[in-house]
Amino acid sequence: HNMASRLGRVVVCGERDLPRDLTRRGVRLDADQVRRIVAALDRACPPRVVPKARQQPGSFQVMPKPAAQFALLSEDEILIALRETACAEPIESWMTWLHPRQARLVAQRWSGPARVRGAAGTGKTVVALHRAKHLAAGGKRVLFTSFVRNLPTVQQQLFARLAPGVPGRVEFVNIHAWARRLLASRGVRLELDDDGVESCFNLAWVHVGRGSALAELGSREYWQEEVQDVIKSRGLTSYDDYAALRRVGRRLPLQSSQRELVWDLYQEYERLRIERGIHDWADVLTLALESVNADPVEPAYDAVIVDEVQDLSCVGVRLLHALVGDSRDGLLLVGDGQQAVYPGGFTLAEAGISVAGRARVLDQNYRNGSEILRAALAVVASDEYDDLDTDPVTGTRQVDIERDGGTVVRSVTPDPAAQAQALVEQIRRDNGEHGVRLGDMAVLCPTRAESGHWHRVLTLAGIDVILLESYDGRTIDAVKIGTYQRAKGLEFAEVFVPDHARVPAARRTVEGDDAYAERASLERRQLFVAMTRARDLLWLG
């Protein structure tokens, strides 16, 4: 019976209610605790054994088999109950929930740099957060960093929920913010000027690129990415290095003559930038790496944890590696190449890092309902991706799904106004009738301009909203709105993706086949990231 009552210090509980009653006492159980609970119940409430019937002397009788013996409660039942209880909490609590089966990975000892990778929803970030807690509890000084600017702020709040007893031992900061702070402390003056950088590249393109063969292969934007995300992100300083480079992450093949043109474009851009005395964001990491190599950081970090490592540059990963070297339990790289949302790429070999024998792959999805994950994987199934290695990986991958179901709503409307009305009605219905918290919902868009549009739409509809760039990880009763990239590392009970069929964007006027294929693949990965943020419901407009 489904019942529960208290008789003094004794709780009388129906068998069906037992898992739920146990998890009410706390959802932060590790695998060892789950096993101990099951063992204790087996001892206290052993399975009933039906004795065999006696056979009369001299008679013939078929003896019945003993009744099947079932434990009162299994480990799987407890694990399912823990997950369901965690799902009922605000999304910020859910994002710190570690599946008990992953607890051993948190305390793993590594003899050098290590890597944890796996598909979306497999718990990489929560493993990293619990790893930081484990190291900090042992007195270690830990740097926890990533590329996305707002993510460390959110993770710091999540960590405060998770480990209130170890404040100050784990530092959460975006890699560029950390590098700027280091350089400022050492008297290195930076002149970051995004508009000036754009002007320098535009002039370099006019002087060197626009009238060359490069203009027939790709757009101006493509070659700006080549300069920033291929050349400068690796810290290349000679044409010979660029000429020999295997351009991981780029599909457009380049002949020697074309690479010479790219190098000329890079040199002209650098000449103009230096002449104006300004820096770009790649310079920040390069200067920081040079500074650390010349003068190590004191007090030293014991460990560096890098989340979403696939979005960092090669120079950025070298910088973080330089802080701890190949020390035991020093560097942990966490990420997934299929979720890379920025152009370019690199390999760990290029960064001078080996994780041989110290890599783990997570293949159990704990977040997404099965229907949601299938819809998301269909978007990228035909696209290969690079995963910090030289060999591309196929878009299809084997992932075990923990949670069946999930809801995928495909809303087809005749015009933008009707789409906005359908989205607003879905939010109101789910919040009012089904009790889904507004703070557990997100509207995700490909650009900041579109995020601003949907911010206005929901505000006019009387729905409380907050932009992801202002969200700091605290529980808030407002729908979160932001770009696909801003949603990296975050999770939501429900995700709304308007105009999803417009991804990838239409082919540009000057864009060759290979350049377009590369951009389309990148934009599909960005959409994939947005879709896999959804735990329970995915709305596609």
Side-chain angles (χ1 to χ4, degrees):
H1 298 287
N2 288 318
M3 57 170 286
S5 59
R6 182 176 292 276
L7 301 173
R9 296 177 59 200
V10 177
V11 175
V12 180
C13 183
E15 181 178 353
R16 297 175 190 171
D17 270 350
L18 183 54
R20 195 182 314 156
D21 183 74
L22 287 170
T23 56
R24 284 197 194 103
R25 302 162 192 275
V27 297
R28 305 295 190 252
L29 300 178
D30 61 33
D32 181 60
Q33 290 171 317
V34 170
R35 284 191 292 269
R36 286 161 57 195
I37 288 171
V38 171
L41 286 168
D42 280 346
R43 289 192 301 271
C45 305
R48 177 176 179 235
V49 179
V50 179
K52 295 181 180 181
R54 289 177 179 270
Q55 184 174 351
Q56 295 297 326
S59 66
F60 177 80
Q61 182 180 352
V62 177
M63 300 298 292
K65 295 180 180 179
Q69 299 182 27
F70 295 100
L72 180 62
L73 195 63
S74 70
E75 290 185 27
D76 284 343
E77 286 177 293
I78 295 181
L79 295 177
I80 291 170
L82 288 170
R83 186 196 67 207
E84 291 177 350
T85 304
C87 284
E89 295 183 348
I91 199 67
E92 288 78 14
S93 293
W94 161 260
M95 283 194 286
T96 65
W97 183 70
L98 179 75
H99 196 285
R101 287 174 178 156
Q102 293 180 321
R104 187 172 297 176
L105 186 58
V106 169
Q108 176 76 50
R109 297 299 305 274
W110 307 102
S111 60
R115 184 182 181 199
V116 174
R117 61 188 179 94
T122 53
K124 298 180 297 297
T125 296
V126 75
V127 166
L129 286 171
H130 282 260
R131 174 72 170 178
K133 175 187 175 182
H134 170 75
L135 293 173
K140 304 290 187 182
R141 182 173 181 239
V142 183
L143 174 63
F144 196 112
T145 188
S146 70
F147 177 83
V148 182
R149 186 166 31 186
N150 64 312
L151 189 54
T153 303
V154 174
Q155 290 169 332
Q156 185 169 13
Q157 285 295 330
L158 298 179
F159 187 78
R161 288 170 171 266
L162 176 67
V166 288
R169 293 181 187 165
V170 182
E171 181 181 350
F172 291 87
V173 63
N174 155 267
I175 185 173
H176 285 92
W178 184 91
R180 291 176 69 183
R181 189 181 66 200
L182 173 81
L183 293 171
S185 70
R186 296 181 172 189
V188 179
R189 184 183 179 90
L190 289 171
E191 293 293 340
L192 286 164
D193 182 353
D194 291 340
D195 290 337
V197 163
E198 195 69 16
S199 175
C200 287
F201 190 83
N202 285 337
L203 282 174
W205 178 249
V206 169
H207 295 167
V208 176
R210 190 169 64 182
S212 73
L214 297 181
E216 300 174 5
L217 295 173
S219 63
R220 183 197 69 84
E221 292 78 11
Y222 185 89
W223 300 115
Q224 188 170 17
E225 291 169 359
E226 184 77 11
V227 168
Q228 290 290 344
D229 301 316
V230 177
I231 295 176
K232 295 203 68 172
S233 76
R234 287 174 168 82
L236 302 183
T237 56
S238 74
Y239 171 72
D240 288 342
D241 290 337
Y242 180 56
L245 180 69
R246 183 170 182 177
R247 297 161 57 252
V248 172
R250 304 291 266 180
R251 293 191 177 188
L252 176 60
L254 295 179
Q255 305 298 324
S256 297
S257 59
Q258 296 159 341
R259 294 200 186 208
E260 289 174 1
L261 292 171
V262 174
W263 193 257
D264 290 343
L265 177 63
Y266 156 71
Q267 288 187 310
E268 178 66 5
Y269 162 72
E270 284 290 278
R271 183 187 70 78
L272 292 167
R273 180 188 64 76
I274 294 170
E275 185 179 87
R276 297 188 182 189
I278 60 176
H279 298 95
D280 58 33
W281 289 98
D283 294 323
V284 175
L285 300 185
T286 299
L287 291 170
L289 176 59
E290 292 172 355
S291 179
V292 169
N293 284 337
D295 183 12
V297 172
E298 292 294 342
Y301 292 101
D302 299 298
V304 173
I305 298 175
V306 188
D307 195 21
E308 306 290 353
V309 64
Q310 71 279 355
D311 290 325
L312 268 66
S313 69
C314 187
V315 169
V317 175
R318 284 182 196 148
L319 168 62
L320 297 172
H321 184 213
L323 297 179
V324 290
D326 292 337
S327 61
R328 178 180 291 274
D329 294 330
L331 181 66
L332 178 62
L333 307 175
V334 180
D336 172 32
Q338 196 168 33
Q339 297 180 71
V341 296
Y342 299 101
F346 66 95
T347 68
L348 289 182
E350 287 180 78
I353 297 172
S354 171
V355 294
R358 298 182 298 276
R360 297 292 182 271
V361 179
L362 306 182
D363 55 9
Q364 183 81 28
N365 182 296
Y366 298 106
R367 178 198 306 153
N368 311 111
S370 55
E371 296 306 311
I372 293 171
L373 186 60
R374 289 190 186 101
L377 287 171
V379 172
V380 294
S382 61
D383 293 323
E384 292 185 336
Y385 63 94
D386 299 293
D387 205 5
L388 304 187
D389 207 341
T390 54
D391 297 322
V393 184
T394 59
T396 55
R397 62 200 304 182
Q398 181 62 43
V399 182
D400 294 327
I401 304 174
E402 175 88 359
R403 304 176 64 239
D404 287 333
T407 302
V408 178
V409 177
R410 299 183 184 272
S411 176
V412 181
T413 50
D415 54 56
Q419 178 182 229
Q421 181 179 354
L423 188 151
V424 167
E425 288 177 352
Q426 182 84 40
I427 288 177
R428 286 175 173 161
R429 181 166 57 251
D430 291 350
N431 177 242
E433 297 179 15
H434 304 301
V436 182
R437 303 175 187 87
L438 291 179
D440 292 353
M441 302 180 188
V443 177
L444 303 180
C445 315
T447 66
R448 291 183 66 185
E450 289 171 86
S451 298
H453 165 73
W454 286 101
H455 187 282
R456 292 187 293 274
V457 167
L458 268 63
T459 300
L460 290 172
I463 296 173
D464 291 333
V465 295
I466 182 174
L467 290 172
L468 280 180
E469 56 197 66
S470 302
Y471 169 59
D472 65 0
R474 292 184 175 91
T475 299
I476 183 171
D477 194 27
V479 177
K480 294 149 186 168
I481 302 178
T483 63
Y484 300 164
Q485 290 92 329
R486 283 280 185 186
K488 286 298 292 288
L490 304 180
E491 303 178 39
F492 312 96
E494 298 191 355
V495 168
F496 298 80
V497 186
D499 297 316
H500 84 284
R502 288 163 52 187
V503 178
R507 188 165 177 165
R508 294 167 180 162
T509 304
V510 181
E511 191 170 40
D513 292 342
D514 291 315
Y516 171 70
E518 182 182 319
R519 179 174 63 81
S521 177
L522 174 64
E523 292 181 10
R524 283 191 291 269
R525 288 201 305 274
Q526 293 168 346
L527 175 60
F528 170 77
V529 165
M531 294 170 70
T532 54
R533 301 308 94 193
R535 188 186 67 195
D536 306 323
L537 180 140
L538 174 63
W539 187 95
L540 301 172

